[in-house]
Amino acid sequence: MEGSTPTTRVDVAIVGAGPIGLCFANALSRRGVSALLIDRQARASLEAPESDGREIALTRASQQTLDALDVWPRIPADERAAMRAAKVFNGESLFAMQIAPRAGQDAELGCLVPNRAIRAAAYAALVDSPQAEVLWRCESEIETFAPSADDSGVEIRLAGGEIVEAALLVAADSRFSSTRRAMGIPAHTYQHGQHMLVCRMHHEQAHDFSAWEWFGHGQTLALLPVDTHCSSVVLTLPPAQMDALMALPQADFEAEITRRFEGRLGAMTRAAEARRYPLVSVYAERFVGPRQALLGDAAVGMHPVTAHGFNLGLEGVRRLAGLVGDARAAGQDIGAPRLLARYQRQQRLATGPLFAATLAIVGLYTDERPPARLLRKAVLRAGDAAWPVRRLIAGHLMRSAS
Ligand SMILES: Cc1cc2nc3c(=O)[nH]c(=O)nc-3n(C[C@H](O)[C@H](O)[C@H](O)COP(=O)(O)OP(=O)(O)OC[C@H]3O[C@@H](n4cnc5c(N)ncnc54)[C@H](O)[C@@H]3O)c2cc1C
């Protein structure tokens, strides 16, 4: 590429300083690999992110990874809520399938942390890390990129004209990744035709710190414990019904949410602003290209119902940073095709079955035809250890990092 601007040289250029991009830069820096983070957002928004309403259910493996990156200790204790068990309800029935740790295991199934707290801690851990060799390009985007003349790297032109040369370009810019598109990587995209509302609500009655997943008719409800009398309500509805709900005055909104939960925790009042997300699941056809890799939601954008997205993204961080770090330690090329192929193989194995199973569960629990209702009832009462929701929720949450 031509131009008089001096070229910035870095090992890895990362598009997207979301929780995954930040953790990846952090993990690389611990292996002596430098990074440049490019994000549309202003630096101040990365440092002190606003609430987006998401409460993230973290697996044990994720807690261990965040601990190793010095992110976990920076999440204030009062931002972590224990999740002791999960209950899955079907329709009007009071019967719930219980998912709890087995005897002899820890008392907790998982831990819930606001996404805002994770992002803030991930940013702070990176900037405070003494070994971090990180460059920041905020309020910035990539304009073009191409392999360098001798194929030893990728040349990136940022909006504004700066040229960056890196051995590897990583897209971590969300499930709607424009970098993935520019790399020419197609993605299987599933529009679920539903919107998800998340909102912290106070409730009259205390709960027992169990998460509820409630597949009612025409709606899916979840309740995630935040404090004894406060939970995050998660409600999935068709867009037109969601429009009507969001337009309600506060008192009517609260009465409507209380009604939808059949008053099981008494009257509910709003504790924070409600947020809304259109539900779209995405699985990229490839996770790598020549000196290119996809990470986090840019590779796999999970449906939130089984709470896997960030957890799987962190597995990818561990995997790719491990391979890149090993290559650096051995004096090898950190963007070599064989390394990238290995990352792709391992990450697809870890995510593909969960992605497919989550889609199947979403299909089963949003299908209102009588055979599906009957199957749901039978499946819930079976209570078998191999039952898919049990395995998906509990098995994944309780797994430790290997
Ligand atoms: C309601 C809800 C609940 C969830 N609950 C859970 C849960 O319980 N457990 C779980 O594991 N996961 C959960 N998830 C998923 C989790 O939030 C995501 O997996 C996680 O945020 C992905 O992080 P990321 O860094 O890959 O992408 P993002 O968080 O989307 O960050 C992307 C970053 O890229 C930047 N960016 C975007 N485009 C560009 C561009 N062109 N140029 C430069 N920068 C760009 C953005 O500014 C942003 O900073 C939930 C998601 C939702 C919506």
Side-chain angles (χ1 to χ4, degrees):
M1 287 184 191
E2 80 292 346
S4 53
T5 335
T7 300
T8 304
R9 289 200 166 74
V10 69
D11 291 324
V12 182
I14 306 166
V15 189
I20 291 299
L22 292 168
C23 288
F24 185 54
N26 185 331
L28 289 178
S29 73
R30 287 162 196 274
R31 303 295 307 265
V33 179
S34 65
L36 177 128
L37 275 164
I38 304 151
D39 202 289
R40 278 179 181 155
Q41 296 185 68
R43 188 85 183 254
S45 316
L46 298 178
E47 185 175 3
E50 281 181 14
S51 170
D52 56 13
R54 302 182 200 183
E55 307 286 336
I56 307 292
L58 291 170
T59 62
R60 286 197 196 146
S62 293
Q63 290 171 42
Q64 288 163 1
T65 302
L66 294 175
D67 200 28
L69 297 177
D70 191 33
V71 175
W72 186 246
R74 292 166 187 270
I75 297 175
D78 61 2
E79 299 267 32
R80 308 176 193 167
M83 196 167 72
R84 300 209 178 111
K87 292 179 180 168
V88 185
F89 299 93
N90 185 32
E92 299 84 34
S93 168
L94 285 174
F95 176 83
M97 186 194 70
Q98 304 260 3
I99 302 166
R102 294 214 183 98
Q105 290 182 322
D106 286 358
E108 288 171 17
L109 191 60
C111 183
L112 284 156
V113 179
N115 198 36
R116 171 194 49 72
I118 295 175
R119 294 184 76 145
Y123 176 87
L126 182 59
V127 296
D128 289 353
S129 163
Q131 67 269 61
E133 239 190 286
V134 177
L135 298 171
W136 299 82
R137 297 293 182 270
C138 293
E139 296 176 79
S140 183
E141 288 192 36
I142 280 190
E143 218 168 63
T144 54
F145 55 87
S148 57
D150 62 358
D151 226 15
S152 67
V154 51
E155 280 185 12
I156 301 156
R157 182 193 288 273
L158 302 184
E162 182 181 356
I163 308 289
V164 176
E165 202 175 291
L168 182 62
L169 171 63
V170 172
D173 53 346
S174 86
R175 67 188 62 202
F176 306 108
S177 172
S178 55
T179 312
R180 180 184 65 216
R181 263 198 311 280
M183 288 170 170
I185 301 181
H188 301 279
T189 303
Y190 303 83
Q191 306 275 357
H192 297 287
Q194 301 265 320
H195 283 199
M196 179 174 268
L197 171 138
V198 284
C199 182
R200 277 193 179 190
M201 307 278 296
H202 293 300
H203 37 80
E204 275 179 330
Q205 288 165 28
H207 58 57
D208 56 358
F209 283 91
S210 56
W212 293 6
E213 194 87 59
W214 190 352
F215 300 100
H217 303 316
Q219 65 174 9
T220 305
L221 282 166
L223 198 79
L224 307 172
V226 172
D227 209 342
T228 327
H229 288 87
C230 183
S231 295
S232 174
V233 162
V234 185
L235 170 63
T236 305
L237 286 176
Q241 288 182 42
M242 192 64 87
D243 289 344
L245 178 69
M246 295 288 279
L248 290 176
Q250 177 155 341
D252 296 349
F253 174 89
E254 291 169 345
E256 179 60 13
I257 298 289
T258 306
R259 184 190 69 77
R260 285 181 181 273
F261 276 94
E262 297 177 358
R264 290 188 188 193
L265 286 173
M268 301 175 89
T269 51
R270 197 152 69 181
E273 207 186 316
R275 305 276 170 170
R276 161 189 198 166
Y277 294 91
L279 286 175
V280 180
S281 305
V282 178
Y283 201 86
E285 218 162 81
R286 289 182 280 115
F287 290 0
V288 297
R291 297 200 171 271
Q292 300 164 357
L294 307 181
L295 203 55
D297 275 20
V300 184
M302 296 283 291
H303 189 295
V305 73
T306 45
H308 290 327
F310 179 59
N311 292 302
L312 292 177
L314 274 184
E315 276 191 38
V317 165
R318 248 188 353 252
R319 215 158 258 139
L320 188 55
L323 290 166
V324 167
D326 290 349
R328 168 54 49 87
Q332 295 164 352
D333 180 3
I334 63 166
R338 203 176 330 154
L339 180 158
L340 296 175
R342 201 160 158 209
Y343 160 68
Q344 164 164 278
R345 200 169 48 247
Q346 294 177 350
Q347 190 63 4
R348 288 179 87 82
L349 260 176
T351 55
L354 277 169
F355 187 84
T358 299
L359 281 189
I361 280 175
V362 169
L364 176 64
Y365 283 96
T366 50
D367 188 342
E368 291 310 327
R369 286 169 299 181
R373 288 193 191 191
L374 277 175
L375 180 58
R376 282 204 292 265
K377 206 166 156 189
V379 157
L380 270 177
R381 292 199 179 262
D384 180 276
W387 193 70
V389 170
R390 188 188 293 271
R391 276 184 54 198
L392 270 174
I393 300 174
H396 183 75
L397 281 173
M398 299 190 70
R399 207 171 66 210
S400 293
S402 46

